[in-house]
Amino acid sequence: MKVLSIILVTFISLIGVVIFELFSFPVPWMLGPLFAVLLSQFFIKKVSLEWPSYFRNIGLVIVGAAIGHSFQFDLFAGMGWLILFMLILNLTLVLLTTIMALGVEKFSHIPLKTAITCTVPGGISQIVTFAEEEKDINLAIVTYFHVIRVISIVMLIPFFVSGHVVKGDDHLGFSISTLLPLGLLILACWVFALIGKKLKLPVPFFLTPVFLVLILQLTSFNIPEVPVWLLHIAQLFIGAYIGFLLKPSMLKLGARVITIGIVSALVLLGITLAQGWMVSYFFNYSLPTGFLSTAAGGLDQMSLLATAIGADISAVTVFQMFRLLFIFIIVFPMLKVVCNWIDRRNGQIQDAKVDVSN
């Protein structure tokens, strides 16, 4: 039954690809499956649709290998000014999302701890794990907010930059002579990704292949280039997975929470688009590169979009990697401190109520 379900999801994803190709929509091999799978969940009720996470992981490994091969080291030439600029961007983003959390608390009547966790611009898996470990956080609401954020960014940004898309190297087609070295490269990336997962590295199925291919290039290994047809398969795998993130059950959270979640995602998108324009202005990057460098959609998704629309992969990866490290090193510890402060404050309020009642 699971195999039949996977076949059905693959067929639905390919229908999405065909529709996006017919209408010349951007990134058809990722957004087509995303839209098709997302909508199919609301109409197909008699069959349980499934898409294993290891398909997404295979897609991430392929994209990671492609980005490692395309990475340009000359980006690090002006790294001092670049780091300062990225730090200012991320500090500003955290400040604005904190203000947004206060608005979410006020208008949706969500407790402050849940509201702050909902608006932190981090990865879904890391935020959900944090929410699971904290008490008094509504996990369903947090998951919904971050799913809506990722889906809205992944779906909308390609349409914003569709007029600036640079076509990829379509000449990289099928070649039997490259299959063996390419297969060995992907297998090595997969093995190292599993090691990265054991070491609890962030986004291991994406970052580990990137670093592995970078190291191999520095040691003068002849690394085969990832062809377009394989990147299309990776995009389909990842697009279908993202489409499954928004579950029909999430719509039972209530109209107010659903609406605030969509509005907050759009506000965050607007903030990061403004920051992306600044990146484009100050560093003379293209608009797609600037937008994808600052978008709060996740390192793996934004880097994948960069490969699909012809943005500067190196710049997008560095900006997104810095934001990932910033969140892990600074934001998560700060979030833990804030949650502890809220717990103490709520405890003091509760104690005061008990004293008054006595």
Side-chain angles (χ1 to χ4, degrees):
M1 189 65 182
K2 189 173 183 179
V3 174
L4 292 176
S5 176
I6 292 173
I7 293 173
L8 178 58
V9 172
T10 303
F11 180 70
I12 292 170
S13 298
L14 290 173
I15 290 175
V17 172
V18 171
I19 293 174
F20 268 58
E21 289 278 14
L22 285 175
F23 288 94
S24 299
F25 289 152
V27 200
W29 284 88
M30 182 177 180
L31 296 189
L34 194 161
F35 270 101
V37 170
L38 179 63
L39 294 175
S40 66
Q41 295 181 88
F42 295 89
F43 297 100
I44 300 177
K45 302 293 184 181
K46 294 184 179 180
V47 180
S48 176
L49 299 177
E50 295 184 41
W51 194 249
S53 60
Y54 59 77
F55 277 18
R56 186 276 313 265
N57 294 338
I58 292 172
L60 291 178
V61 165
I62 294 170
V63 175
I67 288 175
H69 188 279
S70 304
F71 199 91
Q72 301 296 321
F73 291 94
D74 56 2
L75 181 69
F76 295 106
M79 205 60 186
W81 160 238
L82 193 63
I83 288 176
L84 177 61
F85 191 86
M86 290 189 292
L87 182 61
I88 293 172
L89 282 181
N90 284 281
L91 287 172
T92 304
L93 183 61
V94 169
L95 175 61
L96 293 175
T97 53
T98 302
I99 296 172
M100 195 191 322
L102 298 176
V104 168
E105 179 197 23
K106 179 178 179 180
F107 292 107
S108 64
H109 309 304
I110 295 174
L112 184 57
K113 278 180 67 173
T114 300
I116 292 175
T117 312
C118 284
T119 58
V120 170
I124 292 179
S125 58
Q126 292 84 19
I127 294 293
V128 169
T129 301
F130 177 88
E132 287 175 334
E133 294 174 353
E134 284 290 325
K135 61 180 181 179
D136 301 327
I137 289 182
N138 190 315
L139 185 60
I141 293 177
V142 170
T143 304
Y144 167 74
F145 266 69
H146 286 281
V147 165
I148 284 294
R149 170 177 60 85
V150 170
I151 289 178
S152 63
I153 289 172
V154 171
M155 288 196 305
L156 294 178
I157 280 189
F159 288 94
F160 284 134
V161 302
S162 58
H164 305 271
V165 170
V166 179
K167 292 296 182 182
D169 297 325
D170 291 335
H171 66 276
L172 296 174
F174 182 83
S175 174
I176 294 178
S177 62
T178 62
L179 281 182
L180 180 58
L182 183 61
L184 291 175
L185 175 65
I186 299 301
L187 178 61
C189 289
W190 179 263
V191 171
F192 274 84
L194 293 177
I195 296 173
K197 184 180 179 181
K198 288 287 185 182
L199 297 175
K200 296 184 177 180
L201 296 177
V203 204
F205 288 96
F206 174 77
L207 278 184
T208 312
V210 171
F211 289 137
L212 174 63
V213 174
L214 285 177
I215 292 170
L216 290 176
Q217 289 200 106
L218 289 174
T219 53
S220 300
F221 268 84
N222 186 18
I223 306 298
E225 194 165 356
V226 178
V228 166
W229 62 266
L230 192 56
L231 279 174
H232 285 167
I233 293 174
Q235 290 173 37
L236 187 149
F237 282 1
I238 297 171
Y241 179 84
I242 296 174
F244 272 115
L245 291 178
L246 183 63
K247 303 293 184 183
S249 59
M250 290 182 178
L251 300 184
K252 299 177 182 179
L253 292 173
R256 183 188 293 268
V257 171
I258 291 172
T259 303
I260 294 295
I262 295 173
V263 171
S264 68
L266 295 177
V267 170
L268 182 59
L269 178 59
I271 293 170
T272 54
L273 285 178
Q275 291 187 330
W277 179 85
M278 292 175 60
V279 170
S280 300
Y281 179 80
F282 285 109
F283 294 96
N284 294 319
Y285 291 142
S286 65
L287 282 176
T289 299
F291 289 165
L292 293 175
S293 295
T294 57
L299 169 63
D300 45 354
Q301 289 97 359
M302 296 304 99
S303 298
L304 172 56
L305 286 178
T307 64
I309 67 178
D312 187 325
I313 297 171
S314 303
V316 172
T317 303
V318 167
F319 269 83
Q320 291 288 347
M321 198 177 298
F322 183 91
R323 188 172 67 85
L324 180 69
L325 293 174
F326 180 84
I327 288 170
F328 270 93
I329 297 173
I330 297 177
V331 175
F332 275 159
M334 287 176 57
L335 186 59
K336 185 71 176 179
V337 170
V338 170
C339 287
N340 290 337
W341 174 79
I342 294 173
D343 287 338
R344 289 196 301 270
R345 187 194 65 172
N346 291 341
Q348 291 171 358
I349 293 174
Q350 194 67 33
D351 291 341
K353 288 181 179 178
V354 171
D355 292 339
V356 170
S357 63
N358 291 334

